[in-house]
Amino acid sequence: MAVVELLNLNNVVFRTYVFWTGVLVLKMFAMSALTAVKRFKTKTFANPEDLMSPKLKVKFDDPDVERVRRAHRNDLENILPFFIIGLLYTLTNPSTFLAVNLFRAVGISRIVHTLVYAVVVVPQPARALAFFVALGSTAYMALQVVAAAF
Amino acid sequence: MAVVELLNLNNVVFRTYVFWTGVLVLKMFAMSALTAVKRFKTKTFANPEDLMSPKLKVKFDDPDVERVRRAHRNDLENILPFFIIGLLYTLTNPSTFLAVNLFRAVGISRIVHTLVYAVVVVPQPARALAFFVALGSTAYMALQVVAAAF
Amino acid sequence: MAVVELLNLNNVVFRTYVFWTGVLVLKMFAMSALTAVKRFKTKTFANPEDLMSPKLKVKFDDPDVERVRRAHRNDLENILPFFIIGLLYTLTNPSTFLAVNLFRAVGISRIVHTLVYAVVVVPQPARALAFFVALGSTAYMALQVVAAAF
């Protein structure tokens, strides 16, 4: 298959990649919203111009805000590399079954990661498992991409 | 239209996407330069090997340096997802008028965000407005992308 | 050349881009592994649910852990923009010789950056040089991309 067929929504692999990429971008933006909610709830603002009352001072160490920020940073470290590797993996014309399930694995496990990290704290190894499913799937795709271009 | 016409600089939508993506990458790199300027001005270095004099110690809490770093991190959270969603949105063959103006909205509002956050501090809601214009435009594109692949 | 030939592994420019993008994603994931190793070695955990013993407390300021995290964040700031710009630069149909060597320069210098920053600390200007080779190469590509779309 050439790029004309590969980067086409009729190609189930590309379609699944596009779907989960869109969902994960929206999920990442939800982290910004959640950070804002926690900042207002705990009155934790990092900039003097954000303080809504002269009685408030800038604050950087609220545990609730910092937890969401750590989850968000973890997204940057793991989801953003997936976006490009998923696209390049699609261009290597992989097995449909494998590719579709790898994309689903990344999408679902990163949503679970957020839920157990930043929404309702679930004891380990919940977060570690979610983390490793997404990391393993993306790393496998990266290895396939490197092998295809070697 | 197929990918051959879509990912082509003769396609105004793709051309506008490419232009603003290039501009925003350069803008993000300007944050690194600005961080370096602030670090040298305030002698705030995070690593022992960066200290230029044995009298200096590592420092992590200079408010000017931290402000630029917060602006830079906000870029990572918002501009990097735009890069991939803008590309996938282009591949959904959107209305030229809408797509071109969404890309412009993201590009201009993220530049304004940097200016009012890290260059000249402007009272709120300047930064909030710039933030929401870019976030809203990118989220709209993400929704369109998800809908196209559903 | 049209996108059909450009986004094709027979195109040496695209092939080199794909190879180094895959390698750099794996390199970035190695930072997560290295952070975990340092966290366990120094018993520095940021979340209460990560503590393996009731005697431990959350800790945020271990210098070894923070050094790896700074290197990782620097990857986010520099490697992630390269992923998209390298792809768009490939789509501008650049000189093969120049493009291949720019991609190699980014790939190798970012690996060196990690080695001298987070694995074995090497005195400056080792890290600064590695940083500027990658930044300069990526910024050049971004300028070419902007010029092509202007």
Side-chain angles (χ1 to χ4, degrees):
Chain A
M1 284 212 282
V3 68
V4 184
E5 289 96 53
L6 292 170
L7 295 190
N8 192 304
L9 289 169
N10 294 324
N11 173 14
V12 182
V13 175
F14 182 60
R15 195 182 186 88
T16 311
Y17 162 74
V18 168
F19 175 76
W20 284 107
T21 295
V23 168
L24 287 177
V25 164
L26 293 170
K27 192 219 75 60
M28 287 179 70
F29 286 168
M31 305 309 285
S32 299
L34 191 56
T35 304
V37 167
K38 300 277 181 188
R39 285 198 183 284
F40 279 88
K41 259 195 188 165
T42 63
K43 294 181 182 163
T44 306
F45 301 103
N47 301 290
E49 70 269 27
D50 301 347
L51 303 173
M52 290 154 310
S53 143
K55 286 175 205 157
L56 290 173
K57 283 188 183 169
V58 293
K59 238 173 88 183
F60 300 99
D61 55 359
D62 181 84
D64 282 2
V65 173
E66 288 306 305
R67 174 179 287 274
V68 179
R69 280 169 55 79
R70 285 195 298 276
H72 200 171
R73 173 162 167 169
N74 199 275
D75 281 354
L76 301 177
E77 295 171 359
N78 292 280
I79 297 179
L80 295 172
F82 163 71
F83 289 160
I84 200 78
I85 280 298
L87 184 65
L88 299 186
Y89 181 61
T90 300
L91 287 170
T92 65
N93 195 14
S95 135
T96 303
F97 177 80
L98 184 58
V100 164
N101 284 297
L102 285 170
F103 295 154
R104 283 180 187 150
V106 171
I108 293 168
S109 64
R110 289 306 308 183
I111 291 170
V112 170
H113 184 272
T114 295
L115 293 176
V116 303
Y117 199 175
V119 180
V120 184
V121 181
V122 174
Q124 292 284 19
R127 193 178 94 233
L129 281 176
F131 175 82
F132 281 116
V133 170
L135 184 81
S137 306
T138 314
Y140 173 82
M141 288 184 243
L143 281 170
Q144 293 305 108
V145 158
V146 169
F150 192 65
Chain B
M1 283 210 281
V3 68
V4 184
E5 289 96 53
L6 291 169
L7 295 190
N8 192 303
L9 289 170
N10 294 325
N11 173 13
V12 182
V13 174
F14 182 61
R15 195 183 186 88
T16 310
Y17 162 74
V18 168
F19 175 77
W20 284 107
T21 295
V23 168
L24 286 177
V25 165
L26 294 170
K27 192 219 76 60
M28 286 179 71
F29 286 168
M31 305 308 285
S32 300
L34 190 57
T35 304
V37 167
K38 299 277 182 188
R39 283 199 183 283
F40 278 90
K41 258 195 189 165
T42 62
K43 294 182 182 163
T44 306
F45 301 103
N47 301 290
E49 70 268 27
D50 301 348
L51 304 173
M52 290 156 310
S53 143
K55 286 176 205 156
L56 290 173
K57 284 190 183 167
V58 293
K59 238 173 88 182
F60 301 98
D61 55 358
D62 182 84
D64 282 3
V65 172
E66 288 307 305
R67 174 178 286 275
V68 178
R69 279 169 56 80
R70 284 196 299 277
H72 200 171
R73 173 162 166 168
N74 199 275
D75 281 353
L76 302 177
E77 295 171 359
N78 292 280
I79 297 179
L80 294 172
F82 163 71
F83 288 160
I84 200 77
I85 281 298
L87 184 65
L88 299 185
Y89 181 61
T90 299
L91 286 170
T92 66
N93 195 13
S95 136
T96 303
F97 177 80
L98 185 58
V100 163
N101 284 297
L102 285 170
F103 295 154
R104 283 179 186 151
V106 172
I108 293 168
S109 64
R110 289 307 306 183
I111 292 171
V112 169
H113 184 272
T114 295
L115 293 176
V116 301
Y117 199 177
V119 180
V120 184
V121 181
V122 173
Q124 291 284 19
R127 192 178 95 236
L129 281 176
F131 175 82
F132 281 116
V133 170
L135 184 82
S137 305
T138 314
Y140 173 82
M141 289 184 244
L143 282 169
Q144 293 304 109
V145 158
V146 169
F150 194 63
Chain C
M1 284 210 282
V3 68
V4 184
E5 290 96 53
L6 291 170
L7 295 191
N8 191 305
L9 289 169
N10 294 325
N11 173 14
V12 182
V13 174
F14 182 60
R15 195 181 185 89
T16 310
Y17 163 74
V18 169
F19 175 78
W20 284 108
T21 295
V23 168
L24 287 177
V25 165
L26 293 170
K27 191 218 79 58
M28 287 179 72
F29 285 167
M31 305 308 285
S32 299
L34 190 57
T35 303
V37 168
K38 301 278 181 187
R39 284 199 182 283
F40 279 89
K41 259 196 187 163
T42 62
K43 295 180 182 165
T44 306
F45 301 103
N47 301 291
E49 69 269 26
D50 302 347
L51 303 173
M52 290 154 311
S53 145
K55 286 176 203 155
L56 290 173
K57 285 190 182 167
V58 293
K59 238 173 88 182
F60 300 99
D61 56 358
D62 182 83
D64 281 2
V65 173
E66 287 307 305
R67 174 179 287 276
V68 178
R69 280 169 55 80
R70 284 196 298 276
H72 200 170
R73 175 163 165 168
N74 199 275
D75 281 355
L76 302 177
E77 294 171 0
N78 291 280
I79 297 180
L80 294 172
F82 163 71
F83 289 160
I84 200 77
I85 280 298
L87 184 64
L88 299 185
Y89 182 60
T90 299
L91 286 170
T92 66
N93 195 12
S95 135
T96 302
F97 177 81
L98 184 58
V100 164
N101 284 296
L102 284 170
F103 295 154
R104 284 180 186 151
V106 172
I108 293 169
S109 64
R110 289 306 308 183
I111 292 172
V112 170
H113 184 271
T114 295
L115 293 176
V116 302
Y117 198 175
V119 181
V120 184
V121 180
V122 174
Q124 292 282 19
R127 193 178 95 235
L129 281 175
F131 175 83
F132 281 116
V133 170
L135 184 83
S137 305
T138 313
Y140 173 81
M141 289 184 243
L143 282 169
Q144 293 305 110
V145 159
V146 170
F150 193 65

XYZ file of all heavy atoms in Angstrom, chain A residues 3-4 7 9 14-15 17-19 21-23 25-26 28-29 32 46-50 60 68-70 72-73 76 80 83-84 87, chain B residues 2-4 7 67 70 73 76-78 80-81 84-85 87-88 91 117 121-122 124 127 131 135 138-139 142-143 145-146 148-150:
546
model
N 1.134 5.619 0.423
C 0.642 6.604 1.386
C -0.802 7.017 1.084
O -1.565 7.353 1.991
C 1.604 7.812 1.452
C 1.581 8.605 0.154
C 1.315 8.696 2.633
N -1.184 6.989 -0.209
C -2.546 7.394 -0.593
C -3.593 6.511 0.088
O -4.631 6.986 0.542
C -2.726 7.322 -2.128
C -4.097 7.831 -2.531
C -1.641 8.118 -2.828
N -2.812 6.782 4.524
C -3.324 7.964 5.241
C -4.732 8.284 4.763
O -5.018 9.396 4.307
C -2.398 9.161 5.027
C -0.990 9.060 5.604
C -0.284 10.405 5.533
C -1.013 8.565 7.047
N -8.992 7.562 5.695
C -9.885 7.105 6.762
C -10.569 5.773 6.417
O -11.154 5.131 7.296
C -10.913 8.183 7.109
C -10.316 9.393 7.854
C -11.315 10.540 7.940
C -9.852 9.005 9.261
N -5.353 3.578 10.103
C -5.258 5.037 10.195
C -6.461 5.609 10.947
O -6.314 6.474 11.817
C -5.188 5.637 8.785
C -5.040 7.135 8.779
C -3.943 7.741 9.380
C -5.990 7.945 8.169
C -3.805 9.128 9.385
C -5.853 9.334 8.164
C -4.763 9.917 8.776
N -7.640 5.087 10.619
C -8.870 5.560 11.257
C -8.793 5.395 12.782
O -9.167 6.293 13.538
C -10.035 4.725 10.712
C -11.402 5.300 10.974
C -12.476 4.351 10.417
N -13.775 4.951 10.542
C -14.334 5.741 9.632
N -13.700 6.021 8.527
N -15.535 6.253 9.825
N -6.027 5.085 14.589
C -4.992 6.008 15.067
C -5.567 7.425 15.225
O -5.361 8.076 16.253
C -3.807 6.019 14.093
C -2.928 7.226 14.286
C -2.069 7.318 15.377
C -2.996 8.310 13.400
C -1.297 8.447 15.576
C -2.232 9.435 13.595
C -1.381 9.504 14.685
O -0.632 10.632 14.895
N -6.290 7.886 14.198
C -6.855 9.243 14.224
C -7.842 9.387 15.388
O -7.816 10.376 16.127
C -7.541 9.569 12.877
C -8.375 10.845 12.979
C -6.500 9.717 11.771
N -8.691 8.364 15.547
C -9.687 8.415 16.622
C -9.010 8.559 17.997
O -9.329 9.482 18.765
C -10.537 7.136 16.598
C -11.519 7.045 17.737
C -12.682 7.788 17.725
C -11.245 6.236 18.837
C -13.582 7.722 18.784
C -12.139 6.170 19.905
C -13.307 6.913 19.874
N -5.943 9.413 18.750
C -5.145 10.634 18.875
C -6.048 11.810 19.248
O -5.725 12.595 20.153
C -4.379 10.908 17.564
O -3.433 9.850 17.366
C -3.637 12.237 17.605
N -7.190 11.924 18.574
C -8.139 12.988 18.915
C -8.626 12.870 20.353
O -8.670 13.861 21.087
N -8.979 11.644 20.746
C -9.465 11.427 22.114
C -8.377 11.789 23.144
O -8.660 12.447 24.153
C -9.907 9.953 22.295
C -10.131 9.625 23.766
C -11.171 9.676 21.475
N -5.837 13.857 22.797
C -5.613 15.310 22.870
C -6.679 15.931 23.774
O -6.365 16.747 24.654
C -5.620 15.955 21.458
C -5.788 17.473 21.554
C -4.330 15.625 20.716
N -7.929 15.529 23.596
C -9.004 16.057 24.453
C -8.768 15.655 25.913
O -8.973 16.459 26.827
C -10.368 15.553 23.959
C -10.777 16.108 22.577
C -12.015 15.389 22.050
C -11.029 17.620 22.638
N -5.859 15.169 27.307
C -4.786 16.016 27.831
C -5.316 17.400 28.195
O -4.910 17.987 29.200
C -3.648 16.121 26.820
C -2.838 14.835 26.713
S -1.502 14.944 25.488
C -0.387 16.082 26.340
N -6.194 17.943 27.351
C -6.763 19.259 27.656
C -7.614 19.201 28.932
O -7.714 20.195 29.660
C -7.595 19.777 26.480
C -6.764 20.240 25.317
C -7.335 20.499 24.086
C -5.387 20.447 25.455
C -6.567 20.952 23.014
C -4.609 20.889 24.388
C -5.210 21.144 23.168
N -5.680 20.264 31.897
C -5.597 21.716 32.134
C -6.817 22.178 32.914
O -6.702 22.977 33.853
C -5.543 22.469 30.796
O -4.412 22.087 30.048
N 0.112 30.396 40.867
C 1.564 30.497 40.730
C 2.026 31.891 40.323
O 3.220 32.188 40.392
C 2.054 29.462 39.715
N 1.088 32.747 39.879
C 1.468 34.070 39.393
C 0.753 35.158 40.180
O -0.462 35.045 40.400
C 1.091 34.218 37.914
C 1.766 33.182 37.053
O 2.962 33.222 36.845
N 0.978 32.226 36.567
N 1.475 36.238 40.531
C 0.824 37.337 41.271
C -0.408 37.872 40.538
O -1.409 38.199 41.175
C 1.916 38.410 41.350
C 3.207 37.684 41.135
C 2.903 36.481 40.309
N -0.370 37.932 39.182
C -1.505 38.497 38.428
C -2.720 37.576 38.438
O -3.799 37.971 37.991
C -1.091 38.856 36.991
C -0.806 37.670 36.074
C 0.659 37.255 36.090
O 1.338 37.499 37.114
O 1.120 36.677 35.092
N -2.559 36.350 38.947
C -3.698 35.419 39.006
C -4.456 35.513 40.334
O -5.552 34.952 40.450
C -3.217 33.967 38.843
C -2.481 33.742 37.533
O -2.551 34.629 36.664
O -1.847 32.691 37.392
N 2.985 27.248 45.585
C 3.445 26.272 44.592
C 3.349 24.825 45.066
O 3.664 23.922 44.329
C 4.921 26.541 44.236
C 5.151 27.895 43.664
C 5.630 28.929 44.456
C 4.873 28.157 42.335
C 5.841 30.188 43.927
C 5.085 29.409 41.801
C 5.564 30.440 42.606
N -2.107 16.614 39.999
C -2.634 16.757 38.632
C -1.526 17.178 37.674
O -1.438 16.689 36.539
C -3.804 17.757 38.592
C -4.327 17.918 37.174
C -4.933 17.300 39.508
N -0.652 18.052 38.159
C 0.446 18.500 37.297
C 1.424 17.363 36.977
O 1.960 17.271 35.874
C 1.193 19.674 37.927
C 0.444 21.009 37.722
C 1.032 22.120 38.567
N 2.446 22.319 38.365
C 2.980 22.984 37.324
N 2.195 23.534 36.427
N 4.276 23.111 37.207
N 1.644 16.482 37.935
C 2.508 15.318 37.656
C 1.852 14.390 36.633
O 2.515 13.871 35.738
C 2.798 14.539 38.949
C 3.805 15.208 39.863
C 4.335 14.236 40.929
N 3.294 13.737 41.821
C 2.840 14.369 42.899
N 3.331 15.554 43.236
N 1.903 13.835 43.660
N -0.250 15.283 34.362
C -0.208 15.999 33.090
C 1.189 15.887 32.463
O 1.335 15.631 31.272
C -0.582 17.465 33.328
C -1.037 18.182 32.090
N -1.584 19.429 32.124
C -1.008 17.841 30.781
C -1.885 19.824 30.899
N -1.541 18.879 30.067
N 2.210 16.073 33.277
C 3.573 15.943 32.750
C 3.830 14.521 32.254
O 4.486 14.314 31.234
C 4.610 16.326 33.818
C 6.007 16.032 33.311
C 7.134 16.698 34.015
N 8.360 16.028 33.573
C 9.581 16.438 33.808
N 9.782 17.534 34.500
N 10.629 15.774 33.361
N 2.636 14.333 28.846
C 3.557 14.937 27.878
C 4.665 13.949 27.518
O 5.056 13.819 26.361
C 4.190 16.213 28.447
C 3.259 17.354 28.880
C 4.078 18.481 29.484
C 2.448 17.880 27.702
N 2.587 12.335 23.903
C 3.092 13.100 22.760
C 4.000 12.259 21.857
O 3.853 12.318 20.629
C 3.795 14.381 23.242
C 2.876 15.409 23.930
C 3.696 16.538 24.544
C 1.856 15.983 22.949
N 1.868 10.110 19.561
C 1.224 10.769 18.423
C 2.052 10.603 17.147
O 1.520 10.282 16.090
C 1.002 12.265 18.709
C -0.071 12.534 19.731
C -0.113 13.753 20.404
C -1.042 11.592 20.020
C -1.112 14.019 21.344
C -2.042 11.848 20.965
C -2.068 13.073 21.625
N 3.365 10.828 17.240
C 4.180 10.757 16.020
C 4.496 9.302 15.659
O 4.474 8.931 14.486
C 5.458 11.629 16.161
C 6.031 11.946 14.784
C 6.500 10.969 17.029
C 5.301 13.032 14.055
N 1.629 7.538 13.952
C 1.516 7.950 12.547
C 2.546 7.222 11.686
O 2.217 6.681 10.621
C 1.689 9.469 12.451
C 1.497 10.081 11.066
C 0.060 9.928 10.582
C 1.887 11.565 11.074
N -7.738 13.521 -2.052
C -6.902 12.488 -1.435
C -5.678 13.148 -0.824
O -5.441 14.356 -0.969
C -6.500 11.456 -2.468
N -4.901 12.329 -0.094
C -3.744 12.847 0.628
C -2.761 13.568 -0.304
O -2.072 14.496 0.110
C -3.065 11.694 1.415
C -2.434 10.687 0.478
C -2.062 12.217 2.396
N -2.727 13.155 -1.586
C -1.805 13.779 -2.543
C -2.102 15.271 -2.687
O -1.186 16.105 -2.757
C -1.899 13.084 -3.925
C -0.884 13.672 -4.881
C -1.710 11.592 -3.781
N -1.870 17.036 1.457
C -0.543 17.347 2.004
C 0.325 17.987 0.926
O 1.421 17.509 0.608
C 0.127 16.073 2.540
C -0.533 15.387 3.732
C 0.377 14.311 4.287
C -0.858 16.384 4.838
N 8.904 31.964 35.951
C 7.806 32.463 35.114
C 8.003 32.034 33.664
O 7.058 31.536 33.024
C 7.742 33.993 35.219
C 6.736 34.649 34.301
C 6.697 36.165 34.482
N 6.025 36.538 35.720
C 4.704 36.687 35.857
N 3.909 36.483 34.819
N 4.186 37.034 37.003
N 7.312 28.344 33.377
C 5.880 28.027 33.389
C 5.248 28.304 32.020
O 4.426 27.529 31.533
C 5.153 28.847 34.472
C 5.360 28.342 35.891
C 4.347 28.924 36.869
N 4.398 30.370 36.979
C 5.248 31.053 37.744
N 6.142 30.425 38.479
N 5.198 32.366 37.795
N 6.363 25.532 29.723
C 5.629 24.283 29.972
C 4.207 24.385 29.431
O 3.672 23.422 28.893
C 5.598 23.965 31.475
C 4.698 22.794 31.744
C 4.841 22.077 33.040
N 3.665 21.216 33.202
C 3.518 20.274 34.101
N 4.489 20.047 34.950
N 2.432 19.557 34.163
N 4.291 23.455 25.937
C 4.363 21.999 25.730
C 2.970 21.382 25.823
O 2.602 20.506 25.043
C 5.283 21.342 26.767
C 6.736 21.814 26.842
C 7.459 21.097 27.994
C 7.489 21.569 25.543
N 2.188 21.874 26.785
C 0.864 21.301 27.030
C -0.142 21.644 25.937
O -1.115 20.920 25.737
C 0.330 21.788 28.384
C 1.149 21.291 29.569
C 0.754 21.942 30.892
O -0.151 22.799 30.889
O 1.358 21.596 31.915
N 0.064 22.783 25.264
C -0.943 23.266 24.325
C -0.497 23.281 22.871
O -1.281 22.950 21.979
C -1.400 24.676 24.739
C -2.178 24.639 26.036
O -3.351 24.311 26.039
N -1.520 24.897 27.162
N 2.173 21.554 21.439
C 2.560 20.246 20.900
C 1.344 19.417 20.468
O 1.372 18.825 19.383
C 3.440 19.494 21.903
C 4.815 20.134 22.172
C 5.525 19.422 23.322
C 5.702 20.129 20.927
N 0.251 19.371 21.251
C -0.944 18.668 20.739
C -1.504 19.313 19.474
O -2.005 18.617 18.589
C -1.947 18.775 21.902
C -1.097 18.933 23.115
C 0.091 19.747 22.653
N 0.005 17.918 16.017
C -0.499 16.672 15.419
C -1.966 16.816 15.023
O -2.378 16.339 13.963
C -0.260 15.471 16.377
C -0.324 14.151 15.589
C -1.232 15.441 17.529
C 0.904 13.860 14.790
N -2.753 17.513 15.854
C -4.177 17.657 15.533
C -4.364 18.537 14.296
O -5.240 18.261 13.465
C -4.944 18.230 16.755
C -5.199 17.125 17.764
C -6.255 18.890 16.353
C -6.065 15.973 17.260
N -2.427 18.683 11.773
C -2.108 17.829 10.618
C -3.270 16.881 10.307
O -3.693 16.750 9.151
C -0.833 17.035 10.901
C -0.306 16.168 9.771
C 0.135 17.010 8.580
C 0.860 15.299 10.253
N -3.805 16.234 11.346
C -4.916 15.295 11.121
C -6.179 16.029 10.677
O -6.942 15.537 9.836
C -5.189 14.474 12.398
C -4.026 13.609 12.898
C -4.464 12.763 14.093
C -3.464 12.716 11.807
N -6.051 16.598 7.152
C -6.349 15.365 6.404
C -7.849 15.039 6.365
O -8.275 14.167 5.604
C -5.570 14.187 6.994
C -4.074 14.192 6.678
C -3.335 13.142 7.500
C -3.836 13.934 5.180
N 2.590 36.715 29.257
C 2.978 35.870 30.392
C 4.450 36.085 30.747
O 4.798 36.299 31.915
C 2.723 34.403 30.047
C 2.638 33.449 31.227
C 2.338 32.104 31.028
C 2.850 33.880 32.538
C 2.234 31.216 32.098
C 2.755 32.988 33.603
C 2.456 31.669 33.381
O 2.363 30.800 34.436
N 4.471 41.386 31.685
C 3.344 40.824 32.427
C 2.142 41.766 32.319
O 2.223 42.923 32.725
C 3.701 40.580 33.899
C 2.517 39.968 34.637
C 4.915 39.673 34.000
N 1.059 41.256 31.719
C -0.163 42.039 31.552
C -1.203 41.451 32.515
O -1.292 40.233 32.661
C -0.646 41.955 30.080
C -1.996 42.623 29.904
C 0.393 42.565 29.149
N -4.508 39.916 34.235
C -5.576 39.064 33.718
C -6.771 39.936 33.360
O -6.902 41.020 33.902
C -5.985 38.035 34.795
C -4.924 36.999 35.071
C -4.818 35.923 34.003
O -5.281 36.109 32.886
N -4.182 34.818 34.333
N -3.942 36.834 29.725
C -3.360 35.508 29.495
C -4.453 34.448 29.381
O -4.373 33.557 28.543
C -2.420 35.153 30.649
C -1.566 33.946 30.345
C -0.616 33.660 31.488
N -1.131 32.684 32.406
C -1.286 32.844 33.717
N -0.963 33.993 34.302
N -1.757 31.869 34.468
N -5.039 32.021 26.237
C -5.032 30.577 26.505
C -6.287 29.907 25.958
O -6.212 28.880 25.271
C -4.922 30.365 28.016
C -5.028 28.927 28.447
C -3.927 28.102 28.385
C -6.229 28.401 28.910
C -4.007 26.771 28.782
C -6.320 27.072 29.299
C -5.208 26.257 29.237
N -6.810 27.029 23.087
C -7.341 25.751 23.571
C -8.665 25.433 22.874
O -8.878 24.305 22.407
C -7.557 25.805 25.086
C -8.013 24.489 25.713
C -6.832 23.564 25.970
C -8.757 24.727 27.020
N -8.068 24.414 19.199
C -7.460 23.079 19.057
C -8.449 21.997 19.470
O -8.520 20.935 18.837
C -6.166 22.987 19.890
O -5.370 24.161 19.656
C -5.344 21.758 19.513
N -9.212 22.254 20.534
C -10.201 21.268 20.985
C -11.281 21.068 19.913
O -11.733 19.946 19.669
C -10.827 21.711 22.307
N -9.849 18.852 17.371
C -9.755 17.479 17.898
C -11.124 16.802 17.825
O -11.232 15.628 17.458
C -9.222 17.488 19.329
N -12.181 17.544 18.171
C -13.529 16.993 18.082
C -13.880 16.621 16.649
O -14.472 15.571 16.392
C -14.555 18.004 18.621
C -14.646 18.093 20.143
C -15.475 19.302 20.563
C -15.255 16.811 20.722
N -11.805 15.821 14.313
C -10.965 14.677 13.960
C -11.570 13.387 14.517
O -11.661 12.368 13.817
C -9.528 14.926 14.486
C -8.757 13.625 14.634
C -8.790 15.900 13.563
N -12.016 13.443 15.776
C -12.641 12.270 16.392
C -13.929 11.908 15.637
O -14.178 10.738 15.334
C -12.938 12.521 17.885
C -13.821 11.425 18.461
C -11.637 12.620 18.673
N -14.675 12.515 12.537
C -14.371 11.982 11.199
C -13.949 10.518 11.263
O -14.154 9.767 10.304
C -13.263 12.815 10.553
N -13.361 10.120 12.390
C -12.815 8.754 12.503
C -13.738 7.818 13.257
O -13.438 6.633 13.400
C -11.450 8.805 13.193
N -14.848 8.351 13.745
C -15.731 7.538 14.589
C -16.400 6.422 13.796
O -16.979 6.643 12.744
C -16.792 8.447 15.242
C -17.523 7.773 16.356
C -16.850 7.361 17.508
C -18.878 7.512 16.257
C -17.529 6.736 18.547
C -19.561 6.888 17.289
C -18.873 6.502 18.431
